[in-house]
Amino acid sequence: MSDALTMAGRSLRTSARTPDALITALAMPVMLMLVFVYFFGGAIDTGGEYVQYVVPGVLVLCAGFGAGNTAMSVTHDMQGGIIDRFRAMDVGGAAILAGHVTASLARNLAATAVVFGVATAIGFRAQASVAGWLAAIGVLVCYIVALSWLAATVGLIAKSPEAAGGFTFFIGFLPYPSSGFVPVDTMPSWLRGFAEHQPLTPVTESMRGLLLGQSVGGSAWQALAWCAGITVVSVAAADVLYRRRTG
């Protein structure tokens, strides 16, 4: 645990030296939120104010952009020779990867707070109880952790930071065929099946219901099940890949 926290601190300091990546990961969700609310919101019928509908989807999108940077950071470490120094200092692979994930969680929560502040400024009004707030934060944390471990696994597979950056594009696209920006039942039938059964839909529906004080039904349990499954598989795969990469 001590090594993981040390590695997390290192990752955060490294992130601070690349403010362009942090600004991009933060600015993109904010810009997309403004575009959807002010450009398209008037033409999209969600049964209420569109800003109330779209903000939870933007928060999920923000987490995806932030977690994508983890893949590039892990690939950079694997290529830069720093891993050999860590191994000489008896720092294990689990601590290194956990450090990247912990740093990703910290960065994402900070970015989420900024995005939520902008959302509040343009008219979003949460109606959650204290329990609803805690549950929403819990779902978001589970999602960020799962996505960050998946990103770390991709970073171990990728041969270059540029290739790992493709993961950001994939995660950035995935919220669109979900309930993040439009209701699923408005989509074509061939796309609706995918949108209803991919992980981002229950995550988004859970966030939306909890923040707006609405019933979430089974969405929260589905979201947690997806997050737990992705985390377990990613941690196991990352352990195997790290051992193979380091011999």
Side-chain angles (χ1 to χ4, degrees):
M1 180 63 71
S2 177
D3 288 345
L5 292 176
T6 300
M7 292 296 102
R10 167 187 171 267
S11 294
L12 290 173
R13 288 191 295 272
T14 301
S15 298
R17 300 189 186 103
T18 56
D20 53 335
L22 291 176
I23 292 173
T24 300
L26 177 61
M28 187 63 71
V30 171
M31 292 176 62
L32 286 173
M33 178 170 61
L34 296 177
V35 167
F36 272 93
V37 170
Y38 291 115
F39 291 5
F40 306 139
I44 300 176
D45 182 15
T46 59
E49 293 186 52
Y50 185 63
V51 66
Q52 296 291 99
Y53 183 90
V54 77
V55 166
V58 173
L59 295 178
V60 173
L61 179 68
C62 178
F65 275 113
N69 292 328
T70 304
M72 292 182 283
S73 299
V74 171
T75 303
H76 186 272
D77 277 357
M78 298 305 296
Q79 289 189 330
I82 191 68
I83 297 298
D84 292 333
R85 295 181 61 185
F86 288 151
R87 292 176 67 190
M89 299 167 62
D90 199 27
V91 178
I96 296 171
L97 297 176
H100 279 290
V101 171
T102 303
S104 174
L105 177 61
R107 289 192 303 265
N108 272 285
L109 290 178
T112 298
V114 174
V115 172
F116 192 85
V118 175
T120 302
I122 64 174
F124 178 77
R125 295 294 179 267
Q127 301 167 18
S129 63
V130 174
W133 272 107
L134 293 176
I137 293 172
V139 170
L140 184 63
V141 167
C142 289
Y143 175 68
I144 293 172
V145 170
L147 207 59
S148 298
W149 272 110
L150 180 59
T153 303
V154 172
L156 291 169
I157 297 173
K159 301 301 182 182
S160 67
E162 292 76 17
F167 178 75
T168 303
F169 172 80
F170 172 75
I171 293 299
F173 173 78
L174 203 56
Y176 295 98
S178 75
S179 63
F181 299 101
V182 296
V184 171
D185 56 14
T186 64
M187 298 179 183
S189 57
W190 59 268
L191 181 59
R192 193 179 307 151
F194 173 78
E196 289 176 345
H197 297 96
Q198 65 130 316
L200 270 67
T201 291
V203 171
T204 304
E205 289 297 316
S206 299
M207 294 285 295
R208 182 177 292 123
L210 292 168
L211 289 176
L212 299 181
Q214 301 170 353
S215 173
V216 297
S219 295
W221 295 113
Q222 293 176 28
L224 293 176
W226 270 109
C227 292
I230 293 171
T231 301
V232 170
V233 172
S234 297
V235 169
D239 179 65
V240 172
L241 290 168
Y242 182 86
R243 292 176 186 274
R244 289 184 178 178
R245 288 287 300 270
T246 58

